[in-house]
Amino acid sequence: MAHLTPQGLKEVFQFQKPEGREHLRRLLNWEKFDEVRDSRRSILLDTLYESVIFAVGKGFPWVEVVKVVKFTEEMLKETKGCSITKAVTILGNKLRDYQGQFNTTHLLALCDYFHNTFLRHYKLYQYVLGHDQEVNLTVTHLEVCVPPQPLPLAEGKDRDLWKHEQQVAELSMEEVQKRTNVLLLKEALYLEQEHKLLQNFLKEPAQQGRVLKREELENLIKEAIHIQMECLKELLQYEIQVTFDILDLKLQKKTLKLNAPVPFPLSIPGQPGQDESLKFSKANKGKKAKGKK
């Protein structure tokens, strides 16, 4: 790794992202490369740049920002080709190695950052950074300007009916969103549970070869069960609330369907009865005009 300085990384942060990435590339003494064809180097540069943004955003001193970038590069190199279990072990060992270089708050923030980014997308990192890729790319720029094709007038809808359909569609979308939120919460709670269990395990680093005492093991198990129960409790409470919300949405949709407006029939030229109605209307106007005279 090139010799990065606090001043150099401060300049990287002050630039907008494209200029900041380019400045970081120069500080790393990397040759200029094609962002599209060399996706591995592009993603690696992105990862190092994001580590700078993270460290500055969390209030790390500039000297420690340099160490965060070094920490990130070491993690990417040391976990190459490893399983995710091995990667978690490497992360734990490296955090212990850096205990003297960061305070507790910054060390925990760094642990959170790698858990929510690197470990969460670990397989993707391994695939991109650990496999050679051959890119055959042909780029052709075409500009096509086509006017919008208007729909046939016969396919038009009554305004009230259209508004009604929009309301039903919005309720359906809201229901889908709530179901999606439940799935996202499940995933987030699963990651949070893993993170808390890892933090609980890293509180007191076990000495190599030392057997845990019965009391220590019981405390470790109790804390793990407590973490799992808290996550499950939060998930159940949210699912119950979402279930009630979805039932309310279904009730609103049912009410709307029962009170749906009756579509007004469109007048299409040539339909039976239309010409007669026009003639009848003209005849009435003619009689009124004669009466006035």
Side-chain angles (χ1 to χ4, degrees):
M1 181 176 181
H3 180 65
L4 297 176
T5 63
Q7 180 59 32
L9 293 185
K10 186 175 181 180
E11 293 169 357
V12 170
F13 177 75
Q14 290 173 341
F15 286 123
Q16 294 295 324
K17 184 174 181 178
E19 294 81 7
R21 288 177 77 258
E22 179 63 20
H23 190 55
L24 180 59
R25 181 193 65 78
R26 290 194 294 267
L27 293 176
L28 293 169
N29 293 329
W30 289 4
E31 294 182 359
K32 202 171 182 65
F33 61 91
D34 189 331
E35 294 276 355
V36 176
R37 297 183 183 277
D38 196 349
S39 60
R40 178 187 300 178
R41 188 170 288 265
S42 176
I43 292 174
L44 182 57
L45 183 60
D46 270 335
T47 305
L48 297 178
Y49 175 80
E50 292 299 333
S51 69
V52 175
I53 301 303
F54 150 75
V56 177
K58 289 295 183 180
F60 283 65
W62 290 108
V63 175
E64 293 184 9
V65 175
V66 177
K67 295 176 182 177
V68 170
V69 178
K70 179 183 177 185
F71 184 99
T72 303
E73 188 175 42
E74 290 175 357
M75 275 294 299
L76 292 172
K77 288 181 179 179
E78 295 176 20
T79 56
K80 187 176 181 180
C82 298
S83 65
I84 190 168
T85 306
K86 180 65 175 176
V88 171
T89 304
I90 292 173
L91 176 60
N93 293 336
K94 189 160 289 295
L95 288 170
R96 284 193 286 271
D97 293 341
Y98 275 76
Q99 277 182 343
Q101 302 185 46
F102 300 110
N103 60 39
T104 304
T105 302
H106 288 165
L107 197 67
L108 287 175
L110 188 60
C111 178
D112 286 341
Y113 174 71
F114 269 86
H115 185 274
N116 294 325
T117 56
F118 182 66
L119 292 182
R120 185 173 185 178
H121 306 289
Y122 184 72
K123 290 184 179 180
L124 181 60
Y125 276 100
Q126 287 299 303
Y127 181 80
V128 174
L129 301 179
H131 292 76
D132 292 329
Q133 298 181 4
E134 181 180 353
V135 180
N136 295 319
L137 182 65
T138 302
V139 179
T140 303
H141 296 282
L142 296 175
E143 184 176 356
V144 180
C145 299
V146 180
Q149 182 68 29
L151 294 174
L153 189 60
E155 295 182 9
K157 290 183 180 179
D158 180 71
R159 183 179 61 180
D160 293 335
L161 180 61
W162 181 82
K163 288 182 177 179
H164 173 266
E165 291 178 352
Q166 293 298 310
Q167 290 174 339
V168 174
E170 287 175 4
L171 292 174
S172 299
M173 286 297 297
E174 191 174 348
E175 181 181 344
V176 171
Q177 184 61 49
K178 287 186 178 296
R179 296 184 187 278
T180 304
N181 290 342
V182 172
L183 297 177
L184 293 175
L185 180 64
K186 283 183 179 179
E187 182 181 356
L189 287 176
Y190 176 74
L191 294 173
E192 181 182 354
Q193 177 180 303
E194 281 189 340
H195 176 55
K196 287 182 177 179
L197 290 174
L198 178 62
Q199 279 188 320
N200 184 46
F201 182 75
L202 292 175
K203 281 182 180 177
E204 297 180 3
Q207 297 177 0
Q208 189 173 5
R210 184 174 73 86
V211 179
L212 291 174
K213 296 180 182 179
R214 180 185 179 87
E215 183 180 353
E216 293 176 333
L217 185 58
E218 287 179 351
N219 291 336
L220 195 61
I221 294 174
K222 286 180 181 178
E223 184 65 23
I225 293 174
H226 175 72
I227 291 171
Q228 291 178 332
M229 292 299 293
E230 286 296 317
C231 291
L232 182 60
K233 176 183 176 183
E234 183 177 349
L235 178 60
L236 287 175
Q237 289 177 340
Y238 187 77
E239 284 185 332
I240 291 171
Q241 181 60 48
V242 168
T243 301
F244 279 109
D245 293 343
I246 289 175
L247 289 174
D248 182 60
L249 291 173
K250 287 182 178 293
L251 179 60
Q252 293 182 50
K253 286 169 64 177
K254 188 68 175 178
T255 305
L256 281 174
K257 288 179 180 179
L258 291 174
N259 298 315
V262 179
F264 184 79
L266 290 175
S267 298
I268 301 175
Q271 277 190 339
Q274 184 182 6
D275 295 337
E276 288 77 0
S277 63
L278 289 173
K279 290 177 181 178
F280 181 75
S281 176
K282 290 180 179 179
N284 283 340
K285 288 182 180 178
K287 290 179 180 178
K288 290 180 181 178
K290 289 179 179 178
K292 289 181 180 179
K293 290 179 179 179

